[in-house]
Amino acid sequence: MSQERTKESELERFKATRVTALYRLDLIEKGAQLTYEDGTPVDMASEKQRLKDQVADMDRRIARLEAAGEA
């Protein structure tokens, strides 16, 4: 696989991960309550912050990959 295709695949993966995180954030903001497999509730405040951090990280990675693709 060429390096160009690898960067493109990585970029698409990061974009998909970002969309998933945004979807989960939206559900949390609408009052969703997640639980672990054993039924223990997830700390939604911590999960919300984790997802916000993940989206910010994905934004940085996507921008970096897009900039590298333009070079």
Side-chain angles (χ1 to χ4, degrees):
M1 184 182 281
S2 72
Q3 189 169 356
E4 179 75 22
R5 290 181 90 185
T6 301
K7 285 182 183 178
E8 194 173 298
S9 297
E10 191 175 3
L11 178 59
E12 292 307 313
R13 184 173 56 87
F14 284 140
K15 285 182 178 181
T17 301
R18 182 181 181 277
V19 168
T20 300
L22 288 172
Y23 176 73
R24 290 186 70 168
L25 271 172
D26 183 54
L27 290 175
I28 290 169
E29 289 174 0
K30 291 178 179 175
Q33 178 62 51
L34 303 174
T35 57
Y36 294 103
E37 289 181 17
D38 68 358
T40 305
V42 172
D43 176 4
M44 297 311 285
S46 295
E47 180 66 2
K48 185 176 181 179
Q49 187 58 54
R50 185 189 72 77
L51 289 168
K52 284 182 177 183
D53 292 345
Q54 182 182 23
V55 169
D57 181 56
M58 290 291 107
D59 287 343
R60 285 188 295 274
R61 291 176 186 220
I62 289 166
R64 193 172 26 230
L65 287 168
E66 287 177 340
E70 294 173 2

